[in-house]
Amino acid sequence: RINVSRRTFAVLSLVLAVLLTTAGLAFAQAGDTKQVGLVIAFADGTTHTEIVTVPASGTTLDALRAADIELVSQSSAFGEAICKIDDTGCPATDCFCDPDRFWAYYHLNGTAWAQAAGSVDAYVPADKSVEGLAWSGFDASFNPNVQPPVYTFAQLVALLNPPVQVPEPGTLLLLGTGLAGLAAYIRRKRAA
């Protein structure tokens, strides 16, 4: 009987140690990363939507590099230019090979797109913001005439239904405390 009690106590102690370690890691990671939503509209009418995790200081370029897309970009005097995403666009050796189209870059402002004033490597999006790109033509003033469909961050979360994330540290601590209490109760009950 004593061996069973010790074994049970040892298993519960191990579970508690794992939970406390996980809680510590979750506390350490808080504020070190952010999530950025991406909405990319292609010429054929398809749209790529994704939520990526990047360092808190990450730029839109970092978010695009973290995405599940094939990205080709080129450094220029005006910053990093997006040449090609998947099969749409131009090679890095001739980033603006199409004189009528380019990758237009946007920030989601509430529920409307705002054309980005800078390049993807110069802008640091906030946590849970949404960045958009569209393969677009332009008007006489060189403004893009195609925008990606609008998805807020909450809509992207609902659409993508990401996998279950690690519980908050407080939840892990509460669970660990409960397991420790259960282990103590079992030990006392068996000792009596």
Side-chain angles (χ1 to χ4, degrees), residues 107-148:
H107 312 296
L108 189 65
N109 186 4
T111 57
W113 290 112
Q115 185 178 348
S119 62
V120 292
D121 64 329
Y123 186 75
V124 178
D127 184 35
K128 297 184 176 30
S129 63
V130 180
E131 301 296 295
L133 288 111
W135 185 244
S136 177
F138 46 86
D139 62 20
S141 300
F142 299 103
N143 295 311
N145 54 21
V146 176
Q147 294 182 346

Side-chain angles (χ1 to χ4, degrees), residues 58-66 71 73 80 82 105 120-123:
T59 64
T60 302
L61 181 61
D62 295 323
L64 290 168
R65 287 180 174 159
L71 179 71
S73 65
E80 197 76 9
I82 301 301
Y105 170 42
V120 292
D121 64 329
Y123 186 75

Side-chain angles (χ1 to χ4, degrees), residues 129-188:
S129 63
V130 180
E131 301 296 295
L133 288 111
W135 185 244
S136 177
F138 46 86
D139 62 20
S141 300
F142 299 103
N143 295 311
N145 54 21
V146 176
Q147 294 182 346
V150 171
Y151 289 98
T152 65
F153 191 84
Q155 289 170 328
L156 286 175
V157 169
L159 176 72
L160 300 171
N161 197 14
V164 176
Q165 296 181 354
V166 175
E168 292 182 19
T171 304
L172 290 174
L173 193 58
L174 184 61
L175 178 61
T177 304
L179 288 173
L182 180 61
Y185 173 76
I186 291 171
R187 187 172 185 175
R188 280 189 208 134

Side-chain angles (χ1 to χ4, degrees), residues 83 89-91 94-103 135-140 142-145:
C83 306
C90 299
D94 189 11
C95 197
F96 298 102
C97 67
D98 188 335
D100 299 322
R101 303 217 181 291
F102 69 106
W103 279 104
W135 185 244
S136 177
F138 46 86
D139 62 20
F142 299 103
N143 295 311
N145 54 21

